[in-house]
Amino acid sequence: MASSILSDCSSCATSRLLPLRRALHPPPPRFRPSPAPAPLPRRPLLAAAASLPLLPRARRMAALAAASSADSATVLADASAKIIDGKLVAKQIREEVGVEIARMKDTIGVVPGLAVILVGSRKDSQTYVRNKKKACDAVGIKSYEVNLPEDASEYEVIKHIATFNDDPSVHGILVQLPLPRHMNDENILNAVSIEKDVDGFHPVNIGRLAMQGRDPFFVPCTPKGCMELLHRSGVEIKGKRAVVIGRSNIVGTPAALLLQKANATVSIVHSKTKNPEEITRQADIIIAAVGVANLVRGSWIKPGAAIIDVGINPVDDPASPRGYRLVGDVCFEEASKVAGAITPVPGGVGPMTIAMLLSNTLDSAKRIHKFK
Amino acid sequence: MASSILSDCSSCATSRLLPLRRALHPPPPRFRPSPAPAPLPRRPLLAAAASLPLLPRARRMAALAAASSADSATVLADASAKIIDGKLVAKQIREEVGVEIARMKDTIGVVPGLAVILVGSRKDSQTYVRNKKKACDAVGIKSYEVNLPEDASEYEVIKHIATFNDDPSVHGILVQLPLPRHMNDENILNAVSIEKDVDGFHPVNIGRLAMQGRDPFFVPCTPKGCMELLHRSGVEIKGKRAVVIGRSNIVGTPAALLLQKANATVSIVHSKTKNPEEITRQADIIIAAVGVANLVRGSWIKPGAAIIDVGINPVDDPASPRGYRLVGDVCFEEASKVAGAITPVPGGVGPMTIAMLLSNTLDSAKRIHKFK
């Protein structure tokens, strides 16, 4: 089953949007995926990947094995890229956060609090909020939740935000997106105190992220997770060429700003870019966050590059019990033969987002209570 | 004299910093200029520049003539690039601003006001402030000025800012940089109301500039001037490759964000970039804002590219009555043979900064008074 799942990157034309996609990539993608599989460049043995530090063989095999057990991101026999195991890294981070929360509670008696505001009854949003709550419980963060009906007013949402802004037991506030159409996202997100904006979406946080010599209060969770995966996989960033595919406010743009702050030379590829494959092929690091199934083919990739695949795209799959399966923005089957390291989908960036949210909430509580 | 002035790009090693430079480029440059002139690629006639719309011959010659009369940015006989005449464009903008100010005064009786706060007695800062005041007078903007001694406290500066924030006759507030060392620039600049931040340096303005679907209240004047020069010279931006050299908060970073908002594919080259010339050579548009005399050689430039040179670097010149002369970040002599269009130094970006400040102040008054 595994290889058949992964042997059809050309089937991306069948991809369809599920609600999950809208949460990750608000602007509609306008990339045109390649109509047919491009010829794969031969990967010049392992020497080409020498610039990327590889994990010791035992850990690498364990990572490969872990990935093999994932739902669909199975590793092919001839894949040579290191698999960056997001589930494993996210688990480590959650454990580290749990230890720090226990230490803070023991030392100064403070328990970090995260408030989530959910408007409407979208099934996917309800699932996310439930998962966030479970993750909070597991590490010792106290959850606060407000559920408002679909027809709630902007004023009501902002009133709840204001209450949480003033509540000293709340250190992070998160408004679950997407909001109902009659609401202005900007007005609502701007109402969150920048000191509790654990999503990092406030323009002040983005501005501080873009500026030299300034630091944001919070870095948006998904791009922060991408950077953490690179760091913990030993991928060097300083002085490297990086390409970010996609320029959304919640992933692509902050990911590019983060790579630049880490002294990479960054190019952003987007829907108006001519020859995106030519630019992408120059990159030592690729972060793909555009929401187009299997857009990035093997021929787009410099041998040995590190690839972080943020896309979670459902594609029709009659063979699957659910009728669909999830694939990334990168054709994993082709890319894993060329890249030096790659995240699978699922099991790559996905688990990192909530881990980073927990980490941001802990950081907020530490900052507010001046706890080192 | 002209060609001797321009025939020594290799003399960049003799460049020295004058105060002017510090105002433009706060972080010290760490680029290493090429030790010797690189061989120049032959420019493949005019065909290579066909993608760049050229001005009609008469206007082009006028621009060339205007540039020829400039202090040191003289055009060589074999230069083929169109010279982008910043003096001329800035004059047009000032005239347009003047007409709009008169119309607003006649229609609703409002006169835009710009407040400038100057701390200390740096000669260069005093000159800038005087020039700003003169430019305001010429277009009908009312100037407000506060001069504080070098040893003034941060509190005093912020108190004056607060007064101007509340003053309805003031539509723009500008704190002249650099501030004395004992002051925290960030605290002071953040005190300016974002609705009067005509310099556009507030993190909220930078954040909104970085974000899709958001617009800043103000765009920083120098990068806005760069874009205006590109627009008014008919340089197409959408879909083009652009390289910004330098990533300062006041020029490089906002210039890159502006190019991206205009749908260019943007790469930022900085001090940690390996092979900056290789990346720069791919660009259809180059904005050089790094503060290193003659860094960008002819061999860095794609034939036909449009070049905006923000650098104003004084280099020793015993032949000059002042003992120095001003050159850009781009070796004009070499670049003008390869590029499709180029700004001279001086007479390129320089005059645009104050013109954009006037334009921002007018825009602010229009927005505050809802005047269309």
Side-chain angles (χ1 to χ4, degrees):
Chain A
M1 173 184 153
S3 63
S4 76
I5 278 178
L6 290 164
S7 64
D8 61 346
C9 281
S10 59
S11 75
C12 49
T14 67
S15 70
R16 62 194 166 81
L17 302 180
L18 288 191
L20 184 63
R21 162 79 170 289
R22 288 170 52 192
L24 250 190
H25 308 287
R30 273 160 295 179
F31 271 100
R32 288 176 154 267
S34 313
L40 270 182
R42 295 294 304 160
R43 185 161 186 259
L45 304 176
L46 272 178
S51 64
L52 275 171
L54 291 176
L55 287 174
R57 187 166 173 80
R59 281 181 62 201
R60 191 175 161 209
M61 293 309 290
L64 284 168
S68 297
S69 68
D71 182 20
S72 69
T74 312
V75 179
L76 296 177
D78 59 347
S80 54
K82 177 176 93 176
I83 306 301
I84 299 176
D85 185 348
K87 276 189 188 171
L88 188 68
V89 175
K91 185 167 171 279
Q92 286 166 354
I93 291 170
R94 287 198 309 270
E95 284 168 4
E96 291 162 13
V97 167
V99 168
E100 277 298 279
I101 287 174
R103 187 171 72 85
M104 184 159 66
K105 190 177 170 189
D106 290 349
T107 315
I108 60 169
V110 170
V111 174
L114 174 67
V116 178
I117 296 173
L118 173 65
V119 188
S121 50
R122 285 176 63 117
K123 287 276 172 284
D124 56 335
S125 292
Q126 286 172 336
T127 305
Y128 290 143
V129 169
R130 200 165 47 240
N131 287 343
K132 282 167 189 168
K133 190 177 178 320
K134 267 197 331 210
C136 283
D137 291 347
V139 296
I141 291 175
K142 189 160 166 38
S143 290
Y144 300 82
E145 203 180 315
V146 167
N147 291 293
L148 295 170
E150 179 79 19
D151 61 354
S153 70
E154 211 173 288
Y155 172 76
E156 275 176 277
V157 180
I158 290 176
K159 206 175 61 179
H160 283 286
I161 291 173
T163 307
F164 286 134
N165 281 341
D166 293 338
D167 184 342
S169 60
V170 170
H171 305 95
I173 302 169
L174 190 147
V175 181
Q176 183 65 42
L177 298 178
L179 287 161
R181 284 181 188 277
H182 67 279
M183 291 187 183
N184 181 322
D185 288 17
E186 190 176 343
N187 292 345
I188 288 176
L189 295 180
N190 284 358
V192 176
S193 154
I194 56 162
E195 277 145 41
K196 298 186 178 184
D197 173 35
V198 282
D199 254 345
F201 294 158
H202 195 290
V204 164
N205 275 322
I206 300 293
R208 294 171 70 108
L209 190 58
M211 295 168 88
Q212 298 289 308
R214 307 275 182 104
D215 285 306
F217 289 96
F218 301 99
V219 172
C221 301
T222 303
K224 187 177 178 182
C226 296
M227 296 298 285
E228 201 64 34
L229 287 175
L230 290 170
H231 288 311
R232 296 198 184 214
S233 307
V235 176
E236 201 189 343
I237 299 173
K238 181 177 168 181
K240 298 291 179 189
R241 291 287 301 274
V243 163
V244 176
I245 307 177
R247 50 176 170 172
S248 71
N249 290 340
I250 57 178
V251 187
T253 295
L257 298 174
L258 280 167
L259 285 165
Q260 162 129 315
K261 254 199 160 66
N263 288 315
T265 299
V266 185
S267 307
I268 300 185
V269 161
H270 50 77
S271 58
K272 301 295 185 298
T273 299
K274 290 170 189 160
N275 304 323
E277 64 276 29
E278 189 189 311
I279 301 169
T280 308
R281 203 160 36 232
Q282 297 175 10
D284 304 299
I285 298 165
I286 299 169
I287 295 184
V290 70
V292 177
N294 297 319
L295 175 78
V296 178
R297 312 300 300 254
S299 60
W300 290 40
I301 298 163
K302 180 178 174 177
I307 302 177
I308 304 293
D309 188 352
V310 184
I312 305 179
N313 310 290
V315 294
D316 289 331
D317 183 4
S320 157
R322 293 174 297 185
Y324 71 91
R325 62 195 159 82
L326 300 176
V327 301
D329 291 349
V330 178
C331 173
F332 185 86
E333 181 190 21
E334 293 179 4
S336 57
K337 292 174 190 159
V338 188
I342 186 169
T343 57
V345 175
V349 177
M352 293 296 290
T353 302
I354 288 186
M356 290 298 119
L357 175 66
L358 305 177
S359 164
N360 277 355
T361 306
L362 167 64
D363 288 348
S364 178
K366 280 183 164 184
R367 182 164 42 225
I368 289 171
H369 295 281
K370 298 184 175 54
F371 181 72
K372 299 277 178 196
Chain B
M1 173 184 153
S3 64
S4 74
I5 277 176
L6 290 164
S7 63
D8 60 347
C9 282
S10 58
S11 75
C12 49
T14 67
S15 71
R16 60 192 169 81
L17 302 180
L18 288 190
L20 184 63
R21 160 79 169 290
R22 287 170 51 192
L24 251 188
H25 307 286
R30 272 160 296 181
F31 271 100
R32 290 175 153 268
S34 313
L40 271 182
R42 295 294 303 160
R43 185 161 186 259
L45 304 176
L46 271 178
S51 63
L52 275 170
L54 291 175
L55 287 175
R57 188 166 172 78
R59 280 181 62 202
R60 190 175 162 209
M61 294 308 292
L64 284 168
S68 298
S69 68
D71 180 21
S72 69
T74 312
V75 180
L76 297 177
D78 59 347
S80 54
K82 178 176 92 177
I83 306 301
I84 300 176
D85 184 348
K87 276 189 187 171
L88 188 69
V89 176
K91 185 168 172 281
Q92 287 166 354
I93 291 169
R94 287 198 309 269
E95 284 168 3
E96 291 162 14
V97 168
V99 168
E100 277 298 279
I101 287 174
R103 186 172 72 85
M104 183 160 64
K105 190 178 169 188
D106 289 349
T107 315
I108 61 169
V110 169
V111 174
L114 175 67
V116 178
I117 296 173
L118 173 64
V119 187
S121 51
R122 285 176 62 116
K123 287 275 172 282
D124 55 335
S125 292
Q126 286 172 335
T127 305
Y128 290 143
V129 170
R130 199 166 47 240
N131 288 343
K132 283 167 188 167
K133 190 177 179 320
K134 267 198 328 209
C136 283
D137 291 348
V139 295
I141 291 175
K142 190 161 166 34
S143 291
Y144 300 83
E145 203 180 315
V146 167
N147 291 292
L148 295 171
E150 179 79 19
D151 60 354
S153 70
E154 211 172 288
Y155 171 75
E156 276 178 278
V157 180
I158 290 175
K159 207 176 62 179
H160 283 286
I161 291 173
T163 306
F164 287 134
N165 280 342
D166 293 338
D167 184 342
S169 60
V170 170
H171 305 95
I173 302 168
L174 190 147
V175 181
Q176 182 64 44
L177 298 179
L179 287 162
R181 283 179 189 279
H182 68 277
M183 291 187 183
N184 180 323
D185 287 18
E186 190 176 343
N187 292 345
I188 288 176
L189 295 180
N190 285 359
V192 176
S193 153
I194 56 162
E195 276 145 41
K196 298 187 179 184
D197 173 35
V198 282
D199 255 345
F201 294 159
H202 195 290
V204 164
N205 274 323
I206 300 294
R208 294 170 70 109
L209 190 59
M211 295 169 87
Q212 298 289 309
R214 307 275 181 104
D215 285 307
F217 289 96
F218 301 100
V219 172
C221 300
T222 303
K224 187 177 178 182
C226 296
M227 296 299 284
E228 200 65 32
L229 287 175
L230 290 171
H231 289 310
R232 296 199 183 213
S233 306
V235 176
E236 202 189 342
I237 299 174
K238 181 176 167 180
K240 298 292 178 189
R241 292 285 302 274
V243 163
V244 176
I245 308 177
R247 50 177 170 171
S248 70
N249 289 339
I250 57 178
V251 187
T253 295
L257 298 173
L258 281 167
L259 286 165
Q260 163 130 314
K261 254 199 160 65
N263 289 314
T265 299
V266 185
S267 308
I268 301 185
V269 161
H270 51 77
S271 57
K272 302 295 185 298
T273 299
K274 290 171 190 160
N275 304 323
E277 64 275 29
E278 189 189 310
I279 301 169
T280 308
R281 204 160 35 231
Q282 297 175 9
D284 304 299
I285 297 164
I286 299 168
I287 296 184
V290 71
V292 178
N294 297 319
L295 175 78
V296 179
R297 312 300 300 253
S299 60
W300 290 39
I301 297 163
K302 180 178 175 178
I307 302 177
I308 304 293
D309 188 352
V310 185
I312 305 180
N313 309 290
V315 293
D316 289 331
D317 182 4
S320 158
R322 292 174 298 185
Y324 71 92
R325 61 193 160 81
L326 299 177
V327 301
D329 291 350
V330 178
C331 174
F332 186 86
E333 181 190 22
E334 294 179 3
S336 59
K337 293 175 190 160
V338 189
I342 186 168
T343 57
V345 174
V349 177
M352 293 296 289
T353 302
I354 288 186
M356 291 297 119
L357 175 66
L358 305 176
S359 166
N360 278 354
T361 306
L362 167 64
D363 289 348
S364 177
K366 280 183 163 183
R367 182 166 40 225
I368 289 170
H369 295 282
K370 297 184 175 54
F371 180 73
K372 299 275 178 196

